[in-house]
């Protein structure tokens, strides 16, 4: 998958250094993936939450952090919409982020 944009992850792990390894591992996994449907994501990430409008919420580092993406399956693109702590995630509307 093509991921837009790694910069969001990098800026986050510069502030939350304990997230760096987990976010880099997530990035590497997603980059190697070739998802064509939400079911393919759930095969690998059983704890991922599938949200309307092709949004997916990933739990990172033991559910300490959350990554929200929009997946365009037909183009093989993952757009990172949010990276944050569990508390920050609770304050957003994931369907509109």
């Amino acid at each position: 998958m093509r991921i837009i944009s790694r910069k969001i992850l990098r800026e986050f792990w510069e502030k939350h250094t304990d997230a760096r390894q987990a976010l880099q591992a997530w990035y590497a996994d997603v980059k190697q993936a070739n998802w064509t449907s939400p079911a393919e994501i759930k095969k690998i990430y059983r704890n991922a939450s599938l949200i309307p409008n092709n949004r997916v919420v990933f739990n990172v580092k033991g559910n300490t952090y959350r990554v929200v993406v929009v997946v365009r399956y037909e183009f093989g693109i993952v757009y990172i919409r949010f990276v944050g702590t569990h508390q920050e995630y609770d304050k957003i509307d994931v369907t509109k982020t």
Side-chain angles (χ1 to χ4, degrees), residues 23-84:
L23 289 172
Q24 286 178 329
W26 176 86
Y27 180 88
D29 287 347
V30 174
K31 188 170 179 149
Q32 294 298 315
N34 186 25
W35 299 323
T36 59
S37 71
E40 290 183 354
I41 294 172
K42 289 296 273 187
K43 284 181 189 176
I44 306 297
Y45 293 97
R46 294 174 192 239
N47 291 329
S49 299
L50 303 176
I51 309 297
N53 300 322
N54 292 327
R55 285 173 166 69
V56 182
V57 179
F58 294 93
N59 299 319
V60 179
K61 196 176 184 289
N63 205 21
T64 302
Y65 302 108
R66 299 277 179 98
V67 178
V68 178
V69 302
V70 174
V71 182
R72 295 295 306 265
Y73 300 98
E74 66 275 24
F75 302 117
I77 299 175
V78 173
Y79 296 93
I80 299 172
R81 305 300 298 158
F82 170 85
V83 181

